[in-house]
Amino acid sequence: MPPNADFTNDPYTWSGLTGWHSYRTLRPFRGMYWDVRRRLPWYGTDIRDGLNYRTFAATIRIFFVNLLPALAFQLDMTRNTGGYFGINEALFSSALAALVFSTLSCQPLTVVGITGLISLFNYTIYDIAVAQGIRDLYPQFIAWVSIWAAITHWLASICNWCDYMRYITDFSSNAFGMYVGIIYMIKGVEELVAQFTEQGSTPAAGYLSIVIALCYWFSVYYLEIMGSTIYFPPWLRKSLADFAYPIATIWWTGFSHIPGTIARAGLLRIPHTHAFHPTQDRSWLVPFWTLPVKWVFVALPIGILLTLLFYYDHNVSSLTAQAKQYPLKKPAGFHWDFFLLGCTCFIAGILGIPLPNGLVPQAPVHTDSCTEYVDRLARSQERDVEVEEEPASVSNARVWVYHNKKMVDATMVHEQRISHFVMALGFVGLMTGPLLDVLHTMPRALFSGVFFVVGWGGLPGNGMTQNLLYCMREKRFVDPAEPRLGLKKWRIVYYVFWQALGVAISVAISQTIAAIGFPVVIVALIPLRWVVLPRIFTEHELLVLDAPTADADVVLASMGGRPTLPEVRMAEERRRRRGEGGEEGESSGASSEVKGEGMRSREGFKDEEERGVEGERAKQSAREGIEPTLRTGHA
């Protein structure tokens, strides 16, 4: 381990700087320089740490988790772009991204590939090109969109603008996760509808497709949660969770070929294509230089919108891949990685393949797969209130109820580059003739199930979902240590309303030709959280309901350090003005070690007053026999 592994006082900071030194844009390349300098000493360990079974399991899992959605989005793009994007384009894009980021990035755990949002972006641009009468110029036009996006990516990286990602909190990241999940579910339904409406489909094939999609969804879902159960030996349940995707994919692909009625149903399958060739009759290099100058400059604002989308989407995926629940030791590098993303945008654009980007649902899956989990037996006791209220003659043994419970501890993460690199080689291999024939055996209905798995996977644990479910609980059965007990339920619903408003507007825009503008709505949630919400919610409410998405020094070092939350700053200013040491703004005494699902710790953001109030509450809970619990799960 490199000697300088303490990132609490990292040299890359803007605190205390004055004059022109305090302006990020005026000190170009500073963030990229420190990203590379901080991560380079760990490069050797990135290779050595990948030589273990955990990396093998992670490679298999993330290969399928990346491949299947990529093919699913390719089918969506093929249907909506006149067949311009096909199988090889999807595989080439995924291989390019995996190769570049596994070898050169500062955050190799971040999975980069084809997302549903770039699919939406591509065919919205196609609709615009058709409406403007330049359908034949679509390849050149989208190539210039990619070139402009690459240039603005590089500009953002050079000017240190990735620092502003430290202001991302769960308010906006949960809203974005909900939006992505909903879009994925919509795409799953659209793919099933296509099984009834496309040429060559039959009603029997359509209904069989629904069965396969739903069964695939349930199979993957229950296999993945097997690791958090107490069934079977630990090695078996963890193996089932690790290999859920290949097990379900092989099983339901084989099911679709069962001789008889099922085989005769005529299911639509992955189309054939030539090895290492584009889907359409063209060369890999797009003649972007032939686009009329007028349309070159029309592509500029669309390229800026694409950069805005990737700025948020890619960096949030990096944040979720390095979330607090994973015990990471190696530093992050947001500026350098965003520069690399600009390079892949440029290459993908002139090759005519979908632009790769950070995968929000899949990135934390990769980190989770590389994490060593240990099952631990936890024993606790609780008072039986009804028995306790009976006469004193009742035995004390009946007052206390004892429980055994399984706890899952994350002990370490194998932070390595091997799994991402091997995945790149796998995608290249799939572009060969024999393996393309293997892909042809897969029913398209299976990819509807993929949409459902990926889309649904982020919804139950989403902070919006958890807050709404909390508001529906009967109060007497809520854990007394639940921080939200100190809030009125209508205030929680009001908080979720602002998130839901952003999600609803984004989903609505995504279903129109104005879909290229949805990144503006998503990014607008950041200033909404930092400027508007502190003025309509109290400090106490926001400290309980929200927290920074990135709260570890090892991650924050790449973004200039830990920011001060606006509600904390405003409360401190009020206390300073009043000179009463906290008489106003007592909301900072909220319990912030939030143990409910979907909530995050903000230990590093507490002030002395808050810690004092928490200490008194902990002592009171101890006197009453209340023990805190930590609910965790594997996979």
Side-chain angles (χ1 to χ4, degrees):
M1 179 180 296
N4 184 22
D6 181 12
F7 303 100
T8 54
N9 297 306
D10 192 83
Y12 180 70
T13 179
W14 302 94
S15 300
L17 299 180
T18 59
W20 71 271
H21 288 88
S22 63
Y23 293 95
R24 287 169 170 80
T25 305
L26 298 181
R27 302 185 69 182
F29 296 100
R30 187 167 183 248
M32 293 171 58
Y33 168 77
W34 281 105
D35 283 348
V36 175
R37 178 172 175 175
R38 197 183 296 112
R39 183 74 189 201
L40 193 58
W42 301 83
Y43 200 94
T45 66
D46 289 343
I47 307 299
R48 294 192 296 271
D49 290 349
L51 305 177
N52 53 76
Y53 166 77
R54 193 72 255 150
T55 299
F56 169 75
T59 302
I60 299 298
R61 187 180 184 190
I62 200 59
F63 176 77
F64 278 87
V65 171
N66 196 354
L67 170 67
L68 296 175
L71 295 178
F73 292 128
Q74 171 271 320
L75 293 173
D76 190 43
M77 284 187 285
T78 299
R79 185 167 53 249
N80 292 287
T81 61
Y84 181 69
F85 295 107
I87 296 295
N88 280 339
E89 283 81 2
L91 295 175
F92 197 170
S93 175
S94 299
L96 169 68
L99 182 63
V100 170
F101 278 83
S102 64
T103 56
L104 300 177
S105 77
C106 291
Q107 301 167 135
L109 291 180
T110 301
V111 179
V112 183
I114 299 176
T115 68
L117 302 184
I118 193 59
S119 170
L120 173 66
F121 214 88
N122 282 343
Y123 65 69
T124 301
I125 296 175
Y126 179 81
D127 292 339
I128 293 174
V130 171
Q132 296 298 317
I134 58 168
R135 176 177 178 177
D136 293 339
L137 296 177
Y138 174 70
Q140 296 95 313
F141 183 73
I142 200 168
W144 270 104
V145 169
S146 305
I147 293 170
W148 286 122
I151 294 172
T152 46
H153 273 68
W154 296 332
L155 182 64
S157 303
I158 292 170
C159 295
N160 311 305
W161 292 345
C162 289
D163 280 350
Y164 297 108
M165 288 305 297
R166 66 180 183 160
Y167 298 113
I168 296 290
T169 69
D170 291 344
F171 174 81
S172 53
S173 59
N174 283 335
F176 183 66
M178 180 66 70
Y179 165 73
V180 171
I182 291 173
I183 290 297
Y184 278 34
M185 299 294 285
I186 291 174
K187 293 302 177 186
V189 174
E190 288 179 352
E191 184 61 38
L192 284 180
V193 172
Q195 308 306 306
F196 289 90
T197 59
E198 288 194 4
Q199 184 178 2
S201 62
T202 64
Y207 287 114
L208 181 57
S209 296
I210 295 175
V211 172
I212 291 177
L214 294 179
C215 290
Y216 181 86
W217 176 17
F218 296 147
S219 300
V220 175
Y221 179 77
Y222 283 107
L223 285 173
E224 287 212 308
I225 66 173
M226 188 62 66
S228 61
T229 68
I230 58 176
Y231 303 112
F232 308 119
W235 67 268
L236 179 55
R237 60 175 175 257
K238 291 181 180 179
S239 297
L240 291 174
D242 287 334
F243 303 114
Y245 272 92
I247 291 172
T249 301
I250 295 172
W251 174 269
W252 291 109
T253 298
F255 175 86
S256 70
H257 291 276
I258 293 178
T261 305
I262 294 176
R264 291 195 302 268
L267 288 168
L268 299 179
R269 301 185 185 276
I270 291 288
H272 272 297
T273 188
H274 297 293
F276 297 106
H277 280 74
T279 300
Q280 295 186 344
D281 186 17
R282 65 176 180 89
S283 66
W284 278 115
L285 181 62
V286 176
F288 60 90
W289 56 88
T290 62
L291 185 68
V293 175
K294 167 189 173 181
W295 297 108
V296 170
F297 287 97
V298 170
L300 173 58
I302 301 178
I304 294 174
L305 286 174
L306 184 58
T307 299
L308 195 63
L309 167 64
F310 280 10
Y311 177 82
Y312 191 92
D313 192 12
H314 180 81
N315 287 314
V316 167
S317 70
S318 297
L319 289 174
T320 56
Q322 301 171 100
K324 181 181 181 297
Q325 64 265 31
Y326 304 118
L328 300 174
K329 303 296 183 183
K330 300 180 182 180
F334 290 86
H335 306 279
W336 174 253
D337 279 21
F338 201 63
F339 180 85
L340 286 182
L341 191 65
C343 296
T344 58
C345 283
F346 183 84
I347 297 171
I350 65 175
L351 293 179
I353 60 179
L355 272 59
N357 181 33
L359 305 176
V360 172
Q362 292 96 320
V365 173
H366 187 204
T367 309
D368 179 81
S369 301
C370 296
T371 303
E372 294 281 1
Y373 290 96
V374 176
D375 295 342
R376 174 171 56 85
L377 174 63
R379 294 183 175 179
S380 61
Q381 61 181 12
E382 64 181 9
R383 290 177 182 270
D384 189 327
V385 178
E386 294 183 358
V387 174
E388 187 178 17
E389 293 176 352
E390 292 183 6
S393 58
V394 176
S395 169
N396 187 57
R398 291 182 56 194
V399 174
W400 290 96
V401 180
Y402 296 87
H403 299 280
N404 286 348
K405 185 178 180 180
K406 172 189 171 181
M407 303 291 287
V408 182
D409 298 327
T411 57
M412 67 169 294
V413 179
H414 295 283
E415 301 175 61
Q416 42 76 38
R417 300 174 182 270
I418 300 296
S419 58
H420 213 167
F421 181 76
V422 174
M423 183 175 66
L425 299 181
F427 283 123
V428 174
L430 284 176
M431 295 176 67
T432 61
L435 292 183
L436 285 173
D437 289 337
V438 172
L439 290 180
H440 175 67
T441 65
M442 300 172 67
R444 286 176 48 176
L446 186 144
F447 297 99
S448 295
V450 172
F451 279 127
F452 294 145
V453 171
V454 178
W456 180 261
L459 300 184
N462 188 282
M464 294 176 62
T465 307
Q466 291 298 315
N467 282 329
L468 291 177
L469 290 177
Y470 167 79
C471 292
M472 291 186 281
R473 295 175 188 168
E474 187 179 351
K475 188 173 182 179
R476 61 176 174 150
F477 296 118
V478 176
D479 188 340
E482 168 60 60
R484 287 170 289 192
L485 277 174
L487 307 181
K488 295 180 180 179
K489 288 187 176 181
W490 78 268
R491 297 292 289 174
I492 299 176
V493 174
Y494 187 43
Y495 172 84
V496 175
F497 162 77
W498 288 100
Q499 293 177 296
L501 183 63
V503 173
I505 295 175
S506 300
V507 172
I509 290 178
S510 299
Q511 305 308 306
T512 70
I513 200 170
I516 58 173
F518 77 88
V520 176
V521 179
I522 291 296
V523 174
L525 292 175
I526 304 174
L528 174 68
R529 163 62 179 91
W530 282 76
V531 177
V532 178
L533 292 195
R535 289 168 170 78
I536 60 178
F537 290 94
T538 67
E539 181 194 13
H540 173 56
E541 290 169 337
L542 289 177
L543 293 180
V544 171
L545 294 173
D546 195 22
T549 300
D551 55 4
D553 292 324
V554 69
V555 178
L556 290 170
S558 175
M559 296 183 286
R562 190 184 303 274
T564 301
L565 293 172
E567 59 271 17
V568 174
R569 184 177 61 252
M570 292 168 63
E572 289 176 350
E573 289 175 356
R574 287 195 299 267
R575 286 194 290 268
R576 214 167 22 245
R577 286 196 302 265
R578 294 174 60 92
E580 296 180 16
E583 193 172 293
E584 183 179 348
E586 288 186 2
S587 56
S588 58
S591 174
S592 55
E593 183 62 33
V594 183
K595 297 179 173 61
E597 297 177 16
M599 309 293 284
R600 292 178 180 269
S601 167
R602 52 171 301 281
E603 184 68 33
F605 298 85
K606 299 174 184 175
D607 55 23
E608 292 301 323
E609 179 186 357
E610 185 177 354
R611 290 191 177 93
V613 174
E614 284 189 356
E616 292 300 322
R617 289 185 177 180
K619 293 177 182 179
Q620 179 65 24
S621 297
R623 287 194 294 268
E624 296 174 357
I626 300 173
E627 295 186 3
T629 60
L630 180 61
R631 296 186 289 275
T632 62
H634 173 58

